[in-house]
């Protein structure tokens, strides 16, 4: 779309007025004079309408350009925010606990008694695994992703059954991977075997967060 500068508009004005002046003075007789006068007036009107259309188009172009710039800035900001959030999620990992850390943060099974007393501040998922276990290795990136996704809502912990056998025994773990879902209030729930991330996510939302 072409737009005229102020300088071009001035030159067009001079041209059209000069043309109107010549027509009015050259056509002096009867009907021809009226026709020429009408032509001169029409020329002026054409020029005015021409400039008005150009100015209106320029205003429309400026508004459209501003909207495009604002939309682009919003998109860039949203993309940058999502990228930052994605990077933060990728940096999160499930926390590996030894026996002592487990007793402090989750459940102190050495105190005896049949009553389960949760020591944590947020709901917990405990992944009992072993380094030699194939299905456990498959679940590792799943647990890391969920640790980032539910950061601040649910704590995702991992316990190596070879290094913390007493913790595994406290929950009766006999096969791996075994997952223990511990709500903030209530009794733990145990699930054995690998599962997809959607199944795990839905279980966390439903059983631990009540969504």
């Amino acid at each position: 779309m072409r737009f005229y500068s102020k300088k071009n508009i001035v030159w067009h004005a001079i041209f059209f007025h000069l043309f109107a002046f010549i027509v009015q003075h050259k056509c002096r007789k009867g009907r021809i004079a009226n026709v020429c006068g009408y032509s001169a007036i029409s020329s002026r009107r054409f020029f005015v309408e021409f400039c008005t259309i150009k100015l209106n188009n320029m205003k429309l172009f400026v508004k459209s350009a501003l909207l495009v710039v604002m939309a682009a800035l919003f998109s860039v900001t949203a993309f940058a925010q999502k990228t930052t959030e994605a990077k933060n999620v990728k940096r999160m990992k499930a926390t590996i606990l030894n026996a002592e850390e487990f007793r402090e943060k989750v459940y102190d099974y050495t105190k005896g008694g049949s009553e389960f007393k949760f020591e944590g501040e947020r709901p917990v998922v405990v992944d009992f695994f072993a380094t030699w276990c194939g299905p456990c290795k498959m679940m590792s990136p799943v647990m890391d992703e969920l640790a980032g996704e539910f950061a601040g809502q649910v704590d995702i912990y991992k316990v190596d059954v070879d290094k913390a056998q007493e913790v595994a025994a406290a929950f009766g773990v006999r096969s791996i991977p075994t997952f223990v879902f511990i709500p903030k209030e209530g009794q733990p729930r145990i699930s054995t075997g690998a599962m997809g991330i959607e199944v795990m996510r839905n279980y966390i939302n439903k059983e631990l967060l009540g969504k």
Side-chain angles (χ1 to χ4, degrees):
M1 185 180 294
R2 183 182 176 187
F3 297 101
Y4 285 82
S5 64
K6 292 182 178 179
K7 183 178 180 180
N8 289 332
I9 291 175
V10 171
W11 280 109
H12 276 81
I14 294 173
F15 169 78
F16 278 109
H17 281 80
L18 181 60
F19 174 76
F21 176 80
I22 293 173
V23 169
Q24 285 180 328
H25 286 76
K26 291 294 183 181
C27 301
R28 298 178 180 275
K29 294 183 179 180
R31 188 175 179 182
I32 296 178
N34 292 333
V35 172
C36 292
Y38 175 77
S39 299
I41 295 172
S42 298
S43 298
R44 290 193 184 96
R45 287 178 179 175
F46 171 76
F47 172 71
V48 172
E49 291 176 359
F50 173 80
C51 292
T52 302
I53 292 173
K54 289 297 181 181
L55 290 174
N56 289 336
N57 287 340
M58 184 176 294
K59 290 179 181 178
L60 180 62
F61 174 78
V62 171
K63 290 180 180 179
S64 301
L66 288 175
L67 289 175
V68 171
V69 171
M70 290 176 65
L73 289 175
F74 178 79
S75 299
V76 170
T77 303
F79 177 77
Q81 184 177 358
K82 288 183 178 180
T83 303
T84 303
E85 291 176 355
K87 288 181 179 179
N88 291 335
V89 168
K90 290 180 180 179
R91 290 173 185 170
M92 296 292 294
K93 286 188 176 183
T95 304
I96 299 177
L97 301 181
N98 57 34
E100 182 179 356
E101 292 170 334
F102 186 89
R103 290 194 298 269
E104 292 176 356
K105 296 182 178 182
V106 183
Y107 168 54
D108 189 355
Y109 47 85
T110 62
K111 290 183 179 180
S114 59
E115 183 180 354
F116 179 84
K117 184 180 179 182
F118 182 49
E119 303 291 346
E121 298 179 354
R122 290 181 290 271
V124 166
V125 178
V126 182
D127 173 15
F128 287 93
F129 77 103
T131 55
W132 46 263
C133 169
C136 299
K137 293 179 181 179
M138 292 174 58
M139 290 301 300
S140 182
V142 172
M143 303 309 292
D144 288 341
E145 183 173 343
L146 292 175
E149 183 176 335
F150 290 100
Q153 303 178 71
V154 177
D155 292 326
I156 309 293
Y157 295 137
K158 299 179 69 174
V159 175
D160 189 334
V161 296
D162 291 330
K163 296 180 179 180
Q165 296 182 7
E166 58 188 71
V167 180
F171 287 91
V173 176
R174 296 183 179 180
S175 63
I176 49 176
T178 291
F179 303 95
V180 179
F181 300 87
I182 306 175
K184 194 171 181 181
E185 297 179 359
Q187 296 299 311
R189 298 188 180 186
I190 299 176
S191 177
T192 59
M195 64 181 76
I197 188 170
E198 287 297 329
V199 176
M200 179 72 75
R201 180 184 290 115
N202 291 337
Y203 198 94
I204 292 174
N205 282 323
K206 182 179 179 181
E207 299 299 333
L208 299 184
L209 299 178
K211 295 184 179 180

